[in-house]
Amino acid sequence: MTSALIPRSTQESDRSTEIAHLFVAYRSRLLKLAVASGADADAEDIVAEAFYQLHKNWDDLRSREAAAGYLRSVVRNLARMRLRRLVIARRYAEPGPCEFVVRSAEQQALLNNDQRAVVKALRRLPRRQFEAIILRHWMNLKESEIADAMGISAGAVKSHTSRGMTRLSEMLESRVA
């Protein structure tokens, strides 16, 4: 179903221009979402794929305003798929002699000890709580936008966010104690 904002006869150049504006406006936020979702090394690729999917499915959007939510959903889903593939690959891979996580210098510089503790605690939350908190507090989305992106009700967003924040506080307090 298309809206009056995006008629089927939209010129390819208009579509490309609109997507270019969206790229400038949302790229960095989508990169943060991809990294927060566990796609550290693949964040750029995931965001690029999200914009490709947007371009490919442009005529199927219900409105221009839906594009940002669509991009967030695609990034979130691609990050989940990447993590699933990694879990399966690691399950069957033989451990190497010296396995450790290597982060880029930029990542190390951005994370101080407190931030690392919060990220570690966030990643231990159940998936829905993690997503609700990231979308609300890092992406600054409204409950209705989060509900749309996650495919749940606004009440469920409130519940996941509240439970996640409670659990996060407990984990961080136990770290200090």
Side-chain angles (χ1 to χ4, degrees), residues 18-19 21-23 25-27 30 33 46-55 58 61 64-78 139 149:
E18 187 68 31
I19 292 173
H21 289 298
L22 288 166
F23 184 82
Y26 289 100
R27 179 183 172 274
L30 293 171
L33 177 60
I46 286 172
V47 171
E49 177 66 20
F51 277 98
Y52 167 75
Q53 292 295 326
L54 176 64
H55 187 273
W58 184 258
L61 291 178
R64 271 186 218 170
E65 292 74 28
Y70 178 83
L71 285 167
R72 286 189 295 270
S73 293
V74 171
V75 166
R76 198 170 41 90
N77 289 334
L78 289 172
M139 301 295 292

PDB file of all heavy atoms in Angstrom, residues 18-19 21-23 25-27 30 33 46-55 58 61 64-78 139 149:
ATOM      1  N   GLU A  18      16.019  11.347  -1.666  1.00  0.00           N
ATOM      2  CA  GLU A  18      15.382  11.172  -0.356  1.00  0.00           C
ATOM      3  C   GLU A  18      16.178  10.218   0.524  1.00  0.00           C
ATOM      4  O   GLU A  18      16.399  10.481   1.706  1.00  0.00           O
ATOM      5  CB  GLU A  18      13.951  10.657  -0.539  1.00  0.00           C
ATOM      6  CG  GLU A  18      13.156  10.614   0.738  1.00  0.00           C
ATOM      7  CD  GLU A  18      12.825  11.974   1.309  1.00  0.00           C
ATOM      8  OE1 GLU A  18      12.669  12.940   0.540  1.00  0.00           O
ATOM      9  OE2 GLU A  18      12.745  12.085   2.543  1.00  0.00           O
ATOM     10  N   ILE A  19      16.653   9.128  -0.056  1.00  0.00           N
ATOM     11  CA  ILE A  19      17.445   8.157   0.708  1.00  0.00           C
ATOM     12  C   ILE A  19      18.785   8.768   1.108  1.00  0.00           C
ATOM     13  O   ILE A  19      19.284   8.519   2.209  1.00  0.00           O
ATOM     14  CB  ILE A  19      17.600   6.842  -0.078  1.00  0.00           C
ATOM     15  CG1 ILE A  19      16.229   6.160  -0.164  1.00  0.00           C
ATOM     16  CG2 ILE A  19      18.622   5.922   0.570  1.00  0.00           C
ATOM     17  CD1 ILE A  19      16.195   4.935  -1.046  1.00  0.00           C
ATOM     18  N   HIS A  21      19.268  11.888   1.862  1.00  0.00           N
ATOM     19  CA  HIS A  21      18.961  12.744   3.020  1.00  0.00           C
ATOM     20  C   HIS A  21      18.789  11.896   4.284  1.00  0.00           C
ATOM     21  O   HIS A  21      19.269  12.271   5.358  1.00  0.00           O
ATOM     22  CB  HIS A  21      17.702  13.572   2.764  1.00  0.00           C
ATOM     23  CG  HIS A  21      17.884  14.659   1.744  1.00  0.00           C
ATOM     24  ND1 HIS A  21      18.762  15.705   1.904  1.00  0.00           N
ATOM     25  CD2 HIS A  21      17.287  14.849   0.544  1.00  0.00           C
ATOM     26  CE1 HIS A  21      18.714  16.494   0.847  1.00  0.00           C
ATOM     27  NE2 HIS A  21      17.827  16.000  -0.006  1.00  0.00           N
ATOM     28  N   LEU A  22      18.117  10.765   4.143  1.00  0.00           N
ATOM     29  CA  LEU A  22      17.948   9.860   5.283  1.00  0.00           C
ATOM     30  C   LEU A  22      19.302   9.324   5.750  1.00  0.00           C
ATOM     31  O   LEU A  22      19.539   9.185   6.950  1.00  0.00           O
ATOM     32  CB  LEU A  22      17.028   8.701   4.904  1.00  0.00           C
ATOM     33  CG  LEU A  22      15.559   9.035   4.742  1.00  0.00           C
ATOM     34  CD1 LEU A  22      14.824   7.901   4.046  1.00  0.00           C
ATOM     35  CD2 LEU A  22      14.932   9.331   6.092  1.00  0.00           C
ATOM     36  N   PHE A  23      20.185   9.027   4.809  1.00  0.00           N
ATOM     37  CA  PHE A  23      21.521   8.530   5.147  1.00  0.00           C
ATOM     38  C   PHE A  23      22.267   9.543   6.013  1.00  0.00           C
ATOM     39  O   PHE A  23      22.833   9.195   7.042  1.00  0.00           O
ATOM     40  CB  PHE A  23      22.308   8.226   3.867  1.00  0.00           C
ATOM     41  CG  PHE A  23      23.650   7.613   4.126  1.00  0.00           C
ATOM     42  CD1 PHE A  23      23.762   6.253   4.365  1.00  0.00           C
ATOM     43  CD2 PHE A  23      24.799   8.385   4.109  1.00  0.00           C
ATOM     44  CE1 PHE A  23      24.998   5.670   4.605  1.00  0.00           C
ATOM     45  CE2 PHE A  23      26.037   7.813   4.343  1.00  0.00           C
ATOM     46  CZ  PHE A  23      26.140   6.452   4.595  1.00  0.00           C
ATOM     47  N   ALA A  25      20.981  11.911   7.817  1.00  0.00           N
ATOM     48  CA  ALA A  25      20.287  12.130   9.088  1.00  0.00           C
ATOM     49  C   ALA A  25      20.412  10.956  10.055  1.00  0.00           C
ATOM     50  O   ALA A  25      20.479  11.168  11.269  1.00  0.00           O
ATOM     51  CB  ALA A  25      18.808  12.422   8.820  1.00  0.00           C
ATOM     52  N   TYR A  26      20.449   9.710   9.551  1.00  0.00           N
ATOM     53  CA  TYR A  26      20.331   8.550  10.441  1.00  0.00           C
ATOM     54  C   TYR A  26      21.533   7.618  10.495  1.00  0.00           C
ATOM     55  O   TYR A  26      21.582   6.729  11.334  1.00  0.00           O
ATOM     56  CB  TYR A  26      19.100   7.719  10.033  1.00  0.00           C
ATOM     57  CG  TYR A  26      17.812   8.414  10.367  1.00  0.00           C
ATOM     58  CD1 TYR A  26      17.106   9.102   9.376  1.00  0.00           C
ATOM     59  CD2 TYR A  26      17.302   8.403  11.648  1.00  0.00           C
ATOM     60  CE1 TYR A  26      15.927   9.755   9.669  1.00  0.00           C
ATOM     61  CE2 TYR A  26      16.124   9.051  11.948  1.00  0.00           C
ATOM     62  CZ  TYR A  26      15.443   9.726  10.963  1.00  0.00           C
ATOM     63  OH  TYR A  26      14.284  10.374  11.265  1.00  0.00           O
ATOM     64  N   ARG A  27      22.516   7.786   9.662  1.00  0.00           N
ATOM     65  CA  ARG A  27      23.623   6.840   9.587  1.00  0.00           C
ATOM     66  C   ARG A  27      24.303   6.611  10.938  1.00  0.00           C
ATOM     67  O   ARG A  27      24.480   5.474  11.376  1.00  0.00           O
ATOM     68  CB  ARG A  27      24.657   7.301   8.565  1.00  0.00           C
ATOM     69  CG  ARG A  27      25.848   6.366   8.458  1.00  0.00           C
ATOM     70  CD  ARG A  27      26.891   6.907   7.482  1.00  0.00           C
ATOM     71  NE  ARG A  27      28.089   6.126   7.527  1.00  0.00           N
ATOM     72  CZ  ARG A  27      29.081   6.333   8.386  1.00  0.00           C
ATOM     73  NH1 ARG A  27      29.015   7.306   9.254  1.00  0.00           N
ATOM     74  NH2 ARG A  27      30.153   5.563   8.376  1.00  0.00           N
ATOM     75  N   LEU A  30      22.131   4.730  13.408  1.00  0.00           N
ATOM     76  CA  LEU A  30      21.989   3.326  13.028  1.00  0.00           C
ATOM     77  C   LEU A  30      23.272   2.542  13.317  1.00  0.00           C
ATOM     78  O   LEU A  30      23.218   1.374  13.710  1.00  0.00           O
ATOM     79  CB  LEU A  30      21.600   3.213  11.555  1.00  0.00           C
ATOM     80  CG  LEU A  30      20.207   3.742  11.208  1.00  0.00           C
ATOM     81  CD1 LEU A  30      20.017   3.786   9.697  1.00  0.00           C
ATOM     82  CD2 LEU A  30      19.122   2.912  11.867  1.00  0.00           C
ATOM     83  N   LEU A  33      23.184   1.769  16.947  1.00  0.00           N
ATOM     84  CA  LEU A  33      22.239   0.680  17.188  1.00  0.00           C
ATOM     85  C   LEU A  33      22.857  -0.660  16.808  1.00  0.00           C
ATOM     86  O   LEU A  33      22.737  -1.636  17.554  1.00  0.00           O
ATOM     87  CB  LEU A  33      20.942   0.917  16.410  1.00  0.00           C
ATOM     88  CG  LEU A  33      19.881  -0.183  16.499  1.00  0.00           C
ATOM     89  CD1 LEU A  33      19.444  -0.401  17.940  1.00  0.00           C
ATOM     90  CD2 LEU A  33      18.690   0.176  15.622  1.00  0.00           C
ATOM     91  N   ILE A  46      26.072  -3.712   7.988  1.00  0.00           N
ATOM     92  CA  ILE A  46      24.655  -3.851   8.339  1.00  0.00           C
ATOM     93  C   ILE A  46      23.889  -2.590   7.983  1.00  0.00           C
ATOM     94  O   ILE A  46      22.797  -2.649   7.416  1.00  0.00           O
ATOM     95  CB  ILE A  46      24.514  -4.213   9.831  1.00  0.00           C
ATOM     96  CG1 ILE A  46      24.919  -5.680  10.027  1.00  0.00           C
ATOM     97  CG2 ILE A  46      23.106  -3.958  10.343  1.00  0.00           C
ATOM     98  CD1 ILE A  46      25.007  -6.135  11.455  1.00  0.00           C
ATOM     99  N   VAL A  47      24.447  -1.427   8.291  1.00  0.00           N
ATOM    100  CA  VAL A  47      23.781  -0.161   7.963  1.00  0.00           C
ATOM    101  C   VAL A  47      23.684   0.004   6.441  1.00  0.00           C
ATOM    102  O   VAL A  47      22.645   0.421   5.925  1.00  0.00           O
ATOM    103  CB  VAL A  47      24.498   1.031   8.637  1.00  0.00           C
ATOM    104  CG1 VAL A  47      23.956   2.355   8.133  1.00  0.00           C
ATOM    105  CG2 VAL A  47      24.340   0.936  10.147  1.00  0.00           C
ATOM    106  N   ALA A  48      24.739  -0.346   5.732  1.00  0.00           N
ATOM    107  CA  ALA A  48      24.698  -0.257   4.267  1.00  0.00           C
ATOM    108  C   ALA A  48      23.604  -1.176   3.704  1.00  0.00           C
ATOM    109  O   ALA A  48      22.847  -0.781   2.808  1.00  0.00           O
ATOM    110  CB  ALA A  48      26.056  -0.618   3.676  1.00  0.00           C
ATOM    111  N   GLU A  49      23.511  -2.372   4.241  1.00  0.00           N
ATOM    112  CA  GLU A  49      22.464  -3.305   3.790  1.00  0.00           C
ATOM    113  C   GLU A  49      21.072  -2.762   4.104  1.00  0.00           C
ATOM    114  O   GLU A  49      20.144  -2.906   3.300  1.00  0.00           O
ATOM    115  CB  GLU A  49      22.655  -4.674   4.445  1.00  0.00           C
ATOM    116  CG  GLU A  49      21.590  -5.688   4.104  1.00  0.00           C
ATOM    117  CD  GLU A  49      21.562  -6.122   2.644  1.00  0.00           C
ATOM    118  OE1 GLU A  49      22.574  -5.944   1.933  1.00  0.00           O
ATOM    119  OE2 GLU A  49      20.517  -6.642   2.211  1.00  0.00           O
ATOM    120  N   ALA A  50      20.911  -2.107   5.247  1.00  0.00           N
ATOM    121  CA  ALA A  50      19.615  -1.521   5.603  1.00  0.00           C
ATOM    122  C   ALA A  50      19.210  -0.457   4.588  1.00  0.00           C
ATOM    123  O   ALA A  50      18.042  -0.405   4.165  1.00  0.00           O
ATOM    124  CB  ALA A  50      19.672  -0.934   7.008  1.00  0.00           C
ATOM    125  N   PHE A  51      20.149   0.378   4.186  1.00  0.00           N
ATOM    126  CA  PHE A  51      19.829   1.398   3.185  1.00  0.00           C
ATOM    127  C   PHE A  51      19.563   0.776   1.813  1.00  0.00           C
ATOM    128  O   PHE A  51      18.705   1.252   1.071  1.00  0.00           O
ATOM    129  CB  PHE A  51      20.926   2.464   3.116  1.00  0.00           C
ATOM    130  CG  PHE A  51      20.767   3.513   4.179  1.00  0.00           C
ATOM    131  CD1 PHE A  51      21.490   3.441   5.358  1.00  0.00           C
ATOM    132  CD2 PHE A  51      19.876   4.562   4.024  1.00  0.00           C
ATOM    133  CE1 PHE A  51      21.327   4.390   6.348  1.00  0.00           C
ATOM    134  CE2 PHE A  51      19.704   5.514   5.003  1.00  0.00           C
ATOM    135  CZ  PHE A  51      20.432   5.429   6.169  1.00  0.00           C
ATOM    136  N   TYR A  52      20.247  -0.300   1.491  1.00  0.00           N
ATOM    137  CA  TYR A  52      19.962  -1.008   0.245  1.00  0.00           C
ATOM    138  C   TYR A  52      18.532  -1.559   0.274  1.00  0.00           C
ATOM    139  O   TYR A  52      17.787  -1.432  -0.700  1.00  0.00           O
ATOM    140  CB  TYR A  52      20.972  -2.137   0.026  1.00  0.00           C
ATOM    141  CG  TYR A  52      20.538  -3.094  -1.062  1.00  0.00           C
ATOM    142  CD1 TYR A  52      20.626  -2.739  -2.406  1.00  0.00           C
ATOM    143  CD2 TYR A  52      20.002  -4.341  -0.730  1.00  0.00           C
ATOM    144  CE1 TYR A  52      20.206  -3.601  -3.395  1.00  0.00           C
ATOM    145  CE2 TYR A  52      19.575  -5.202  -1.722  1.00  0.00           C
ATOM    146  CZ  TYR A  52      19.666  -4.829  -3.051  1.00  0.00           C
ATOM    147  OH  TYR A  52      19.240  -5.675  -4.024  1.00  0.00           O
ATOM    148  N   GLN A  53      18.169  -2.179   1.394  1.00  0.00           N
ATOM    149  CA  GLN A  53      16.814  -2.720   1.529  1.00  0.00           C
ATOM    150  C   GLN A  53      15.762  -1.613   1.433  1.00  0.00           C
ATOM    151  O   GLN A  53      14.709  -1.805   0.831  1.00  0.00           O
ATOM    152  CB  GLN A  53      16.658  -3.475   2.852  1.00  0.00           C
ATOM    153  CG  GLN A  53      17.454  -4.752   2.939  1.00  0.00           C
ATOM    154  CD  GLN A  53      16.995  -5.797   1.953  1.00  0.00           C
ATOM    155  OE1 GLN A  53      15.818  -5.893   1.641  1.00  0.00           O
ATOM    156  NE2 GLN A  53      17.937  -6.577   1.431  1.00  0.00           N
ATOM    157  N   LEU A  54      16.061  -0.460   2.017  1.00  0.00           N
ATOM    158  CA  LEU A  54      15.141   0.675   1.931  1.00  0.00           C
ATOM    159  C   LEU A  54      14.967   1.097   0.473  1.00  0.00           C
ATOM    160  O   LEU A  54      13.845   1.320   0.013  1.00  0.00           O
ATOM    161  CB  LEU A  54      15.650   1.853   2.762  1.00  0.00           C
ATOM    162  CG  LEU A  54      14.813   3.133   2.677  1.00  0.00           C
ATOM    163  CD1 LEU A  54      13.423   2.923   3.249  1.00  0.00           C
ATOM    164  CD2 LEU A  54      15.534   4.267   3.405  1.00  0.00           C
ATOM    165  N   HIS A  55      16.073   1.197  -0.243  1.00  0.00           N
ATOM    166  CA  HIS A  55      16.005   1.592  -1.656  1.00  0.00           C
ATOM    167  C   HIS A  55      15.183   0.584  -2.455  1.00  0.00           C
ATOM    168  O   HIS A  55      14.323   0.953  -3.257  1.00  0.00           O
ATOM    169  CB  HIS A  55      17.413   1.720  -2.230  1.00  0.00           C
ATOM    170  CG  HIS A  55      17.438   2.279  -3.620  1.00  0.00           C
ATOM    171  ND1 HIS A  55      17.315   1.473  -4.725  1.00  0.00           N
ATOM    172  CD2 HIS A  55      17.547   3.550  -4.066  1.00  0.00           C
ATOM    173  CE1 HIS A  55      17.348   2.234  -5.813  1.00  0.00           C
ATOM    174  NE2 HIS A  55      17.494   3.499  -5.436  1.00  0.00           N
ATOM    175  N   TRP A  58      11.363   0.800  -1.369  1.00  0.00           N
ATOM    176  CA  TRP A  58      10.862   2.174  -1.210  1.00  0.00           C
ATOM    177  C   TRP A  58       9.373   2.300  -1.540  1.00  0.00           C
ATOM    178  O   TRP A  58       8.609   2.919  -0.811  1.00  0.00           O
ATOM    179  CB  TRP A  58      11.688   3.113  -2.071  1.00  0.00           C
ATOM    180  CG  TRP A  58      11.322   4.544  -1.907  1.00  0.00           C
ATOM    181  CD1 TRP A  58      10.564   5.302  -2.737  1.00  0.00           C
ATOM    182  CD2 TRP A  58      11.710   5.414  -0.833  1.00  0.00           C
ATOM    183  NE1 TRP A  58      10.466   6.579  -2.266  1.00  0.00           N
ATOM    184  CE2 TRP A  58      11.157   6.682  -1.093  1.00  0.00           C
ATOM    185  CE3 TRP A  58      12.470   5.236   0.316  1.00  0.00           C
ATOM    186  CZ2 TRP A  58      11.336   7.766  -0.241  1.00  0.00           C
ATOM    187  CZ3 TRP A  58      12.647   6.326   1.158  1.00  0.00           C
ATOM    188  CH2 TRP A  58      12.088   7.561   0.874  1.00  0.00           C
ATOM    189  N   LEU A  61       6.774   1.324   1.229  1.00  0.00           N
ATOM    190  CA  LEU A  61       6.617   2.088   2.470  1.00  0.00           C
ATOM    191  C   LEU A  61       5.254   2.766   2.487  1.00  0.00           C
ATOM    192  O   LEU A  61       4.774   3.241   1.465  1.00  0.00           O
ATOM    193  CB  LEU A  61       7.711   3.157   2.598  1.00  0.00           C
ATOM    194  CG  LEU A  61       9.129   2.680   2.844  1.00  0.00           C
ATOM    195  CD1 LEU A  61      10.066   3.873   2.891  1.00  0.00           C
ATOM    196  CD2 LEU A  61       9.233   1.882   4.114  1.00  0.00           C
ATOM    197  N   ARG A  64       6.844   8.477   4.041  1.00  0.00           N
ATOM    198  CA  ARG A  64       8.253   8.849   4.255  1.00  0.00           C
ATOM    199  C   ARG A  64       8.644   8.694   5.710  1.00  0.00           C
ATOM    200  O   ARG A  64       9.761   8.321   6.029  1.00  0.00           O
ATOM    201  CB  ARG A  64       8.467  10.310   3.868  1.00  0.00           C
ATOM    202  CG  ARG A  64       8.824  10.510   2.461  1.00  0.00           C
ATOM    203  CD  ARG A  64       9.152  11.955   2.228  1.00  0.00           C
ATOM    204  NE  ARG A  64       8.609  12.265   0.916  1.00  0.00           N
ATOM    205  CZ  ARG A  64       8.506  13.444   0.413  1.00  0.00           C
ATOM    206  NH1 ARG A  64       8.878  14.479   1.099  1.00  0.00           N
ATOM    207  NH2 ARG A  64       8.012  13.625  -0.776  1.00  0.00           N
ATOM    208  N   GLU A  65       7.706   9.024   6.589  1.00  0.00           N
ATOM    209  CA  GLU A  65       7.989   8.962   8.024  1.00  0.00           C
ATOM    210  C   GLU A  65       8.276   7.525   8.487  1.00  0.00           C
ATOM    211  O   GLU A  65       8.900   7.325   9.516  1.00  0.00           O
ATOM    212  CB  GLU A  65       6.825   9.549   8.826  1.00  0.00           C
ATOM    213  CG  GLU A  65       6.641  11.048   8.644  1.00  0.00           C
ATOM    214  CD  GLU A  65       6.044  11.455   7.288  1.00  0.00           C
ATOM    215  OE1 GLU A  65       5.293  10.654   6.678  1.00  0.00           O
ATOM    216  OE2 GLU A  65       6.364  12.559   6.825  1.00  0.00           O
ATOM    217  N   ALA A  66       7.805   6.566   7.744  1.00  0.00           N
ATOM    218  CA  ALA A  66       8.028   5.161   8.093  1.00  0.00           C
ATOM    219  C   ALA A  66       9.453   4.712   7.770  1.00  0.00           C
ATOM    220  O   ALA A  66       9.887   3.663   8.240  1.00  0.00           O
ATOM    221  CB  ALA A  66       7.023   4.274   7.363  1.00  0.00           C
ATOM    222  N   ALA A  67      10.183   5.479   6.988  1.00  0.00           N
ATOM    223  CA  ALA A  67      11.520   5.063   6.548  1.00  0.00           C
ATOM    224  C   ALA A  67      12.488   4.888   7.714  1.00  0.00           C
ATOM    225  O   ALA A  67      13.243   3.914   7.752  1.00  0.00           O
ATOM    226  CB  ALA A  67      12.082   6.059   5.538  1.00  0.00           C
ATOM    227  N   ALA A  68      12.465   5.799   8.681  1.00  0.00           N
ATOM    228  CA  ALA A  68      13.393   5.696   9.818  1.00  0.00           C
ATOM    229  C   ALA A  68      13.111   4.436  10.635  1.00  0.00           C
ATOM    230  O   ALA A  68      14.037   3.709  11.013  1.00  0.00           O
ATOM    231  CB  ALA A  68      13.305   6.940  10.694  1.00  0.00           C
ATOM    232  N   GLY A  69      11.848   4.162  10.907  1.00  0.00           N
ATOM    233  CA  GLY A  69      11.486   2.949  11.635  1.00  0.00           C
ATOM    234  C   GLY A  69      11.853   1.693  10.862  1.00  0.00           C
ATOM    235  O   GLY A  69      12.303   0.702  11.438  1.00  0.00           O
ATOM    236  N   TYR A  70      11.660   1.745   9.552  1.00  0.00           N
ATOM    237  CA  TYR A  70      12.028   0.625   8.695  1.00  0.00           C
ATOM    238  C   TYR A  70      13.528   0.367   8.793  1.00  0.00           C
ATOM    239  O   TYR A  70      13.967  -0.782   8.957  1.00  0.00           O
ATOM    240  CB  TYR A  70      11.616   0.919   7.251  1.00  0.00           C
ATOM    241  CG  TYR A  70      12.003  -0.167   6.282  1.00  0.00           C
ATOM    242  CD1 TYR A  70      11.208  -1.290   6.120  1.00  0.00           C
ATOM    243  CD2 TYR A  70      13.173  -0.064   5.529  1.00  0.00           C
ATOM    244  CE1 TYR A  70      11.569  -2.294   5.229  1.00  0.00           C
ATOM    245  CE2 TYR A  70      13.527  -1.056   4.645  1.00  0.00           C
ATOM    246  CZ  TYR A  70      12.728  -2.174   4.494  1.00  0.00           C
ATOM    247  OH  TYR A  70      13.099  -3.167   3.622  1.00  0.00           O
ATOM    248  N   LEU A  71      14.319   1.420   8.714  1.00  0.00           N
ATOM    249  CA  LEU A  71      15.780   1.270   8.799  1.00  0.00           C
ATOM    250  C   LEU A  71      16.188   0.665  10.144  1.00  0.00           C
ATOM    251  O   LEU A  71      17.031  -0.234  10.188  1.00  0.00           O
ATOM    252  CB  LEU A  71      16.461   2.627   8.594  1.00  0.00           C
ATOM    253  CG  LEU A  71      16.487   3.149   7.163  1.00  0.00           C
ATOM    254  CD1 LEU A  71      16.900   4.619   7.147  1.00  0.00           C
ATOM    255  CD2 LEU A  71      17.410   2.313   6.292  1.00  0.00           C
ATOM    256  N   ARG A  72      15.591   1.156  11.248  1.00  0.00           N
ATOM    257  CA  ARG A  72      15.922   0.614  12.570  1.00  0.00           C
ATOM    258  C   ARG A  72      15.582  -0.871  12.652  1.00  0.00           C
ATOM    259  O   ARG A  72      16.351  -1.665  13.185  1.00  0.00           O
ATOM    260  CB  ARG A  72      15.203   1.395  13.670  1.00  0.00           C
ATOM    261  CG  ARG A  72      15.792   2.764  13.931  1.00  0.00           C
ATOM    262  CD  ARG A  72      15.188   3.402  15.164  1.00  0.00           C
ATOM    263  NE  ARG A  72      13.771   3.681  15.004  1.00  0.00           N
ATOM    264  CZ  ARG A  72      13.270   4.813  14.534  1.00  0.00           C
ATOM    265  NH1 ARG A  72      14.074   5.792  14.184  1.00  0.00           N
ATOM    266  NH2 ARG A  72      11.965   4.982  14.438  1.00  0.00           N
ATOM    267  N   SER A  73      14.415  -1.231  12.120  1.00  0.00           N
ATOM    268  CA  SER A  73      14.006  -2.639  12.156  1.00  0.00           C
ATOM    269  C   SER A  73      14.964  -3.513  11.354  1.00  0.00           C
ATOM    270  O   SER A  73      15.345  -4.599  11.800  1.00  0.00           O
ATOM    271  CB  SER A  73      12.590  -2.795  11.600  1.00  0.00           C
ATOM    272  OG  SER A  73      11.663  -2.179  12.449  1.00  0.00           O
ATOM    273  N   VAL A  74      15.365  -3.048  10.184  1.00  0.00           N
ATOM    274  CA  VAL A  74      16.284  -3.830   9.353  1.00  0.00           C
ATOM    275  C   VAL A  74      17.632  -3.972  10.056  1.00  0.00           C
ATOM    276  O   VAL A  74      18.203  -5.072  10.103  1.00  0.00           O
ATOM    277  CB  VAL A  74      16.445  -3.199   7.950  1.00  0.00           C
ATOM    278  CG1 VAL A  74      17.560  -3.892   7.163  1.00  0.00           C
ATOM    279  CG2 VAL A  74      15.140  -3.272   7.184  1.00  0.00           C
ATOM    280  N   VAL A  75      18.152  -2.894  10.632  1.00  0.00           N
ATOM    281  CA  VAL A  75      19.437  -2.965  11.338  1.00  0.00           C
ATOM    282  C   VAL A  75      19.342  -3.949  12.502  1.00  0.00           C
ATOM    283  O   VAL A  75      20.219  -4.805  12.688  1.00  0.00           O
ATOM    284  CB  VAL A  75      19.878  -1.565  11.828  1.00  0.00           C
ATOM    285  CG1 VAL A  75      21.015  -1.663  12.839  1.00  0.00           C
ATOM    286  CG2 VAL A  75      20.295  -0.702  10.646  1.00  0.00           C
ATOM    287  N   ARG A  76      18.275  -3.857  13.275  1.00  0.00           N
ATOM    288  CA  ARG A  76      18.092  -4.741  14.422  1.00  0.00           C
ATOM    289  C   ARG A  76      18.017  -6.199  13.965  1.00  0.00           C
ATOM    290  O   ARG A  76      18.671  -7.078  14.532  1.00  0.00           O
ATOM    291  CB  ARG A  76      16.818  -4.328  15.158  1.00  0.00           C
ATOM    292  CG  ARG A  76      16.695  -4.829  16.548  1.00  0.00           C
ATOM    293  CD  ARG A  76      15.531  -4.175  17.282  1.00  0.00           C
ATOM    294  NE  ARG A  76      14.346  -4.019  16.468  1.00  0.00           N
ATOM    295  CZ  ARG A  76      13.378  -4.937  16.370  1.00  0.00           C
ATOM    296  NH1 ARG A  76      13.475  -6.049  17.039  1.00  0.00           N
ATOM    297  NH2 ARG A  76      12.328  -4.712  15.615  1.00  0.00           N
ATOM    298  N   ASN A  77      17.251  -6.467  12.920  1.00  0.00           N
ATOM    299  CA  ASN A  77      17.107  -7.840  12.426  1.00  0.00           C
ATOM    300  C   ASN A  77      18.407  -8.379  11.837  1.00  0.00           C
ATOM    301  O   ASN A  77      18.764  -9.538  12.059  1.00  0.00           O
ATOM    302  CB  ASN A  77      15.974  -7.917  11.401  1.00  0.00           C
ATOM    303  CG  ASN A  77      14.622  -7.748  12.045  1.00  0.00           C
ATOM    304  OD1 ASN A  77      14.437  -8.037  13.229  1.00  0.00           O
ATOM    305  ND2 ASN A  77      13.661  -7.267  11.278  1.00  0.00           N
ATOM    306  N   LEU A  78      19.127  -7.547  11.092  1.00  0.00           N
ATOM    307  CA  LEU A  78      20.404  -8.001  10.526  1.00  0.00           C
ATOM    308  C   LEU A  78      21.428  -8.280  11.623  1.00  0.00           C
ATOM    309  O   LEU A  78      22.211  -9.233  11.524  1.00  0.00           O
ATOM    310  CB  LEU A  78      20.939  -6.968   9.538  1.00  0.00           C
ATOM    311  CG  LEU A  78      20.178  -6.848   8.218  1.00  0.00           C
ATOM    312  CD1 LEU A  78      20.693  -5.649   7.419  1.00  0.00           C
ATOM    313  CD2 LEU A  78      20.270  -8.125   7.406  1.00  0.00           C
ATOM    314  N   MET A 139      18.733   5.553  21.554  1.00  0.00           N
ATOM    315  CA  MET A 139      18.216   6.096  20.296  1.00  0.00           C
ATOM    316  C   MET A 139      17.186   7.203  20.524  1.00  0.00           C
ATOM    317  O   MET A 139      16.742   7.831  19.569  1.00  0.00           O
ATOM    318  CB  MET A 139      17.586   4.970  19.463  1.00  0.00           C
ATOM    319  CG  MET A 139      18.540   3.834  19.124  1.00  0.00           C
ATOM    320  SD  MET A 139      19.891   4.313  18.052  1.00  0.00           S
ATOM    321  CE  MET A 139      19.031   4.638  16.545  1.00  0.00           C
ATOM    322  N   ALA A 149       8.819  -0.491  16.016  1.00  0.00           N
ATOM    323  CA  ALA A 149      10.072  -1.134  15.614  1.00  0.00           C
ATOM    324  C   ALA A 149      10.174  -2.568  16.128  1.00  0.00           C
ATOM    325  O   ALA A 149      10.700  -3.442  15.441  1.00  0.00           O
ATOM    326  CB  ALA A 149      11.268  -0.318  16.110  1.00  0.00           C
TER     327      ALA A 149
END
